[in-house]
Amino acid sequence: MKRKKKAKKPKITLKEYLQFALAMVIILGSLFLFVRHLTVKRIEAVNEISKNPGFTKGVITATRHNNGRWIEVRYSVKGVVFECHESVPDDSDKEKGDSVGIKYSLRNPQHSITELHRKY
């Protein structure tokens, strides 16, 4: 009986390693810049809220656990309804249907934080 010869695996060239490394740098760099952009925008919104705040009450419309605990809140400013979502501490006892304090920007009411946020 004849044995079948195993096919040799093609060797990866230096050029292929460099192409892979470049692709990974581009992908990871883009992801980093995107996350950084979102973080800076959120910091700017919180600073805007702190400079010119308004206060109201909102109602928690949903809670979920996804890499931590999140709540969704609906609140009204001058008859206009807004929604926000925010990460909250796991030990928070607030549940769906509970009332929560909202601090929002008078200039742009869609920028808001709840009383559970550390900068409230």
Side-chain angles (χ1 to χ4, degrees):
M1 291 197 176
K2 293 184 179 179
R3 288 191 174 191
K4 291 185 180 179
K5 292 184 178 179
K6 289 185 181 179
K8 290 186 177 181
K9 292 182 184 178
K11 293 203 175 202
I12 298 174
T13 64
L14 178 61
K15 181 180 176 183
E16 290 171 330
Y17 274 122
L18 293 175
Q19 287 173 337
F20 177 76
L22 179 63
M24 291 306 294
V25 166
I26 290 171
I27 291 169
L28 294 175
S30 298
L31 181 63
F32 171 78
L33 291 175
F34 177 71
V35 170
R36 175 87 173 126
H37 171 74
L38 292 179
T39 302
V40 167
K41 286 187 70 90
R42 182 65 178 160
I43 290 170
E44 289 172 353
V46 170
N47 288 339
E48 179 183 330
I49 293 166
S50 297
K51 288 179 185 174
N52 198 7
F55 296 90
T56 189
K57 286 283 188 182
V59 176
I60 298 175
T61 58
T63 62
R64 66 179 189 262
H65 291 275
N66 184 15
N67 292 334
R69 186 161 181 251
W70 288 79
I71 60 170
E72 293 180 17
V73 180
R74 182 174 290 151
Y75 62 99
S76 175
V77 176
K78 296 180 183 176
V80 179
V81 176
F82 297 96
E83 290 186 0
C84 70
H85 61 277
E86 182 172 275
S87 175
V88 296
D90 285 331
D91 61 351
S92 169
D93 60 349
K94 299 286 187 176
E95 295 295 332
K96 183 176 178 179
D98 289 347
S99 178
V100 65
I102 302 288
K103 184 178 179 181
Y104 64 93
S105 167
L106 290 175
R107 180 181 292 162
N108 191 352
Q110 73 185 51
H111 291 167
S112 64
I113 55 176
T114 69
E115 68 186 35
L116 303 172
H117 192 277
R118 61 184 171 84
K119 291 210 174 183
Y120 185 81

